[in-house]
């Protein structure tokens, strides 16, 4: 029996060299190589109005409402939960599965026993349970061959190897087999969309900016227009299901980078009020306590304190047949250096 890793390597080689497939999708399963134009999905596209879609196997992501720009990044779950590292989704029509498997068999590098078993399962079977005749061509248009995929960015995750079920057929309208872990559903789509969420970098405006004084309150606030809800929609056109995952900013946590500091409020957590976090500093507020900010109690000497600002995002989703559910909150932060100087006094 040949190892699945060797099968994967050969599948990728055949797809790239033997079949000459362009725009091969970046997400692929541990068992059967990469999605491509053989797949039931299409490649990335734009409608010219800023609506951009990207594909990963049978799943299509609409990202026009996602965060954009050079400072954006993925959120990190505030719990131990993570989106699935692998999942099952439609990948092949009968003709596409034939085009995928026959070059592998013809290469004669996977072993005659494995080739015979595969041919009996997908080409020459049909009489025994779990076997099929001629790649199920008589069911063309009535279902799809499903296969495993690895979630983008999770290729090195041990969980990426959990989806080991061989390629299997599912009739349209039927549920996938119970033993197909993480078979795509609206909920799985919502979790995959969570993995695609991108939020803006958290660099609050500070006053004073960059350099401040010991015992001088530093005001912090965020531009509300830059921190608005973002969302990603994941769908499987072949199945007619979708889910939209939305992230909304709820609070900013300030870590001064030293215990010798006082945060405002004392918890260091600044909540959203009236669509914004914090309050811009204005002339005449020097003696007021900032609703969001920090006061350093000691000089940073010849260096600087790494002030980290982390934004927490409330994440929820809606999907086909589902009015709405929560997912774990996510966080994304950034660090900026703050120089703190002693207040110089003049003695007469």
């Amino acid at each position: 029996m040949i190892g699945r890793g060797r099968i994967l390597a050969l599948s990728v080689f055949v797809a790239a060299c033997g079949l000459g497939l362009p725009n091969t999708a970046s997400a692929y399963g541990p068992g059967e190589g990469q999605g491509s134009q053989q797949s039931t999905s299409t490649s990335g596209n734009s409608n010219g109005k800023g609506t951009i879609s990207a594909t990963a196997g049978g799943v299509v992501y609409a990202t026009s409402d996602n965060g954009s720009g050079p400072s954006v990044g993925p959120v990190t779950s505030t719990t131990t939960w993570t989106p699935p590292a692998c999942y099952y989704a439609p990948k092949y029509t009968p003709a596409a599965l034939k085009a995928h498997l026959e070059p592998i068999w013809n290469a004669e590098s996977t072993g005659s026993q494995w080739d015979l078993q595969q041919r009996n399962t997908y080409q020459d079977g049909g009489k025994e349970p779990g076997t099929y005749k001629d790649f199920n061509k008589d069911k063309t248009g009535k279902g799809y061959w499903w296969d495993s995929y690895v979630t983008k960015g999770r290729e090195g995750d041990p969980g990426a190897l959990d989806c080991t079920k061989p390629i299997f057929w599912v009739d349209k309208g039927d549920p996938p087999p119970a033993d197909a872990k993480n078979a795509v559903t609206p909920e799985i789509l919502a979790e995959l969309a969570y993995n695609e969420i991108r939020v803006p970098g958290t660099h609050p405006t500070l006053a004073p900016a960059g350099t401040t004084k010991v015992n001088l309150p530093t005001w912090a606030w965020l531009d509300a227009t830059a921190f608005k809800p973002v969302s990603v929609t994941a769908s499987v056109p072949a199945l007619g299901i979708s889910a939209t995952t939305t992230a909304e900013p709820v609070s900013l946590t300030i870590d001064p980078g030293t215990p010798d500091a006082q945060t405002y409020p004392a918890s260091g957590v600044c909540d959203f009020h009236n669509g914004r976090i914090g309050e811009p500093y204005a002339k005449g507020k020097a003696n007021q306590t900032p609703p969001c900010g920090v006061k350093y109690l000691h000089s940073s000497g010849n260096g600087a304190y790494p002030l980290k600002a982390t934004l927490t995002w409330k994440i929820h989703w809606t999907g086909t047949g589902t009015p709405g559910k929560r997912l774990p909150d996510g966080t994304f932060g950034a660090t900026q250096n703050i120089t703190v100087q002693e207040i110089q006094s003049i003695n007469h």
Side-chain angles (χ1 to χ4, degrees), residues 86-145:
C86 67
Y87 60 94
Y88 294 98
K91 182 181 284 189
Y92 305 105
T93 62
L97 181 62
K98 178 180 180 180
H100 171 68
L101 289 179
E102 284 190 336
I104 298 176
W105 300 339
N106 293 338
E108 298 183 350
S109 61
T110 51
S112 59
Q113 181 179 353
W114 184 86
D115 287 348
L116 180 63
Q117 179 185 3
Q118 292 290 294
R119 288 181 184 275
N120 182 64
T121 298
Y122 298 109
Q123 176 179 276
D124 302 326
K127 296 181 180 180
E128 297 294 329
T131 66
Y132 305 89
K133 184 71 174 178
D134 197 19
F135 306 95
N136 251 8
K137 282 190 175 180
D138 62 332
K139 286 194 171 185
T140 298
K142 300 178 181 179
Y144 295 102
W145 290 103

Side-chain angles (χ1 to χ4, degrees), residues 290-312:
C292 182
V294 60
K295 180 171 69 177
Y296 288 97
L297 307 180
H298 292 90
S299 166
S300 58
N302 294 325
Y305 293 126
L307 182 147
K308 184 173 183 180
T310 302
L311 203 60
T312 297

Side-chain angles (χ1 to χ4, degrees), residues 173-252:
D174 286 353
D179 63 344
K181 181 182 178 181
N182 291 339
V184 70
T185 62
E187 184 171 6
I188 292 293
L189 288 176
E191 295 173 351
L192 294 174
Y194 186 112
N195 194 62
E196 297 296 320
I197 287 286
R198 296 295 181 268
V199 296
T202 311
H203 285 283
T205 302
L206 303 175
T211 300
T212 187
K213 304 292 185 181
V214 172
N215 292 323
L216 176 66
T218 297
W219 293 56
W221 66 94
L222 291 175
D223 180 1
T225 61
F227 294 89
K228 56 186 178 181
V230 299
S231 64
V232 171
T233 297
S235 63
V236 181
L239 302 179
I241 61 174
S242 66
T244 298
T245 299
T246 301
E248 300 180 63
V250 292
S251 64
L252 175 72

